[in-house]
Amino acid sequence: MAPGLKRFTDVAADGAPRLDDAAGEELVCVERAASVALGSRAPEPPGTLFITTRRVIWLSEAEKDKGYVVDFLDITLHAVSRDPEAYPSPCLYTQIEAEANSDEEGGDMDAEAYGDSQLPKISELRIILADAGQLDSLFDAFCHCAELNPDPTAEENEDSDLFYGEGMVNGGWIHGDEDEHMVDGIDPEYFIPIPIGQNGGDDLSSSVLELQINDRRFEDADEEEARENGH
């Protein structure tokens, strides 16, 4: 199934969303009078927010057939925003994995009508609560559910971090995707660490011996240069 935001209509007679019992999905919390803002669009009229162990589901109160859903696996970032310069209302800001080549950020999407084909292109979702004091609790619920839905590629990424991610190299601290990626003048992208005891198939003693020989050569060259300068 394609990632991203989707339309949701699977609602039971009591107005609650039907959960995937077979997959062990459970309801974590419910927030009434919650609005959502899709991308750069104005907030929807208040509805009900359902946080489950697998998904974020919002159902409109004004339009009974309107609802949105996104899997926690597709939420790449969530944070509480209270800065009025960033957004007029306090909210829970989330970034969503969107379809490739999305033009939503460029403002080319129809701001008045998000069709089903356009929803997966939305990369941002804001949740505005009637009681902004509940944002921290909502944030905690998101954190809990994010832990229940770890990135399936995380283990592969951790293996890559051994060489290219965050860590100590040559006595300096590097960050995988930050600007401060140069360490002692070496770009980690081109730095290939060699584990101790391995040097192109040679053992540790050979590596140390070669290092000692090279050091002695430098010492001899320095002595010779000093004698020449003395004369």
Side-chain angles (χ1 to χ4, degrees):
M1 182 180 295
L5 191 69
K6 302 175 183 67
R7 186 80 62 184
F8 187 84
T9 58
D10 192 10
V11 181
D14 61 357
R18 291 189 178 91
L19 306 184
D20 189 351
D21 296 331
E25 183 178 24
E26 299 178 356
L27 190 63
V28 175
C29 67
V30 178
E31 292 288 347
R32 307 288 180 182
S35 301
V36 294
L38 312 182
S40 58
R41 188 181 182 184
E44 299 274 356
T48 304
L49 183 72
F50 299 86
I51 307 298
T52 81
T53 51
R54 293 185 57 203
R55 299 177 290 177
V56 176
I57 302 170
W58 180 84
L59 299 177
S60 172
E61 294 179 0
E63 302 178 49
K64 297 303 181 182
D65 59 344
K66 176 182 283 190
Y68 305 115
V69 61
V70 61
D71 291 349
F72 270 103
L73 282 175
D74 295 333
I75 298 176
T76 58
L77 180 149
H78 65 273
V80 173
S81 172
R82 294 188 175 92
D83 184 358
E85 294 185 1
Y87 194 73
S89 304
C91 64
L92 185 77
Y93 170 79
T94 67
Q95 288 184 357
I96 303 172
E97 182 178 356
E99 282 185 349
N101 301 322
S102 170
D103 55 6
E104 184 266 333
E105 289 299 331
D108 294 332
M109 291 185 66
D110 183 355
E112 297 300 327
Y114 279 93
D116 291 352
S117 63
Q118 293 177 316
L119 288 177
K121 299 179 182 180
I122 296 172
S123 59
E124 294 180 335
L125 172 70
R126 291 175 174 85
I127 300 172
I128 303 100
L129 303 181
D131 182 2
Q134 295 298 315
L135 283 174
D136 289 336
S137 297
L138 182 60
F139 175 82
D140 291 341
F142 266 67
C143 291
H144 171 66
C145 294
E147 292 178 355
L148 297 178
N149 297 270
D151 184 349
T153 64
E155 184 175 351
E156 178 182 345
N157 291 337
E158 287 175 3
D159 292 339
S160 299
D161 287 346
L162 176 63
F163 299 107
Y164 300 106
E166 184 177 75
M168 296 294 294
V169 176
N170 291 351
W173 194 258
I174 64 172
H175 302 271
D177 54 0
E178 298 292 337
D179 291 337
E180 30 185 68
H181 65 288
M182 298 296 290
V183 181
D184 293 342
I186 300 175
D187 190 334
E189 183 178 356
Y190 302 105
F191 177 80
I192 304 176
I194 300 175
I196 293 177
Q198 298 180 14
N199 184 21
D202 298 331
D203 58 19
L204 178 60
S205 59
S206 298
S207 300
V208 174
L209 178 59
E210 181 180 353
L211 179 60
Q212 291 173 341
I213 292 173
N214 289 335
D215 287 346
R216 182 57 182 274
R217 287 173 181 172
F218 282 117
E219 290 175 2
D220 293 342
D222 291 340
E223 291 175 2
E224 183 176 352
E225 183 179 353
R227 286 196 299 269
E228 292 177 354
N229 292 335
H231 294 294

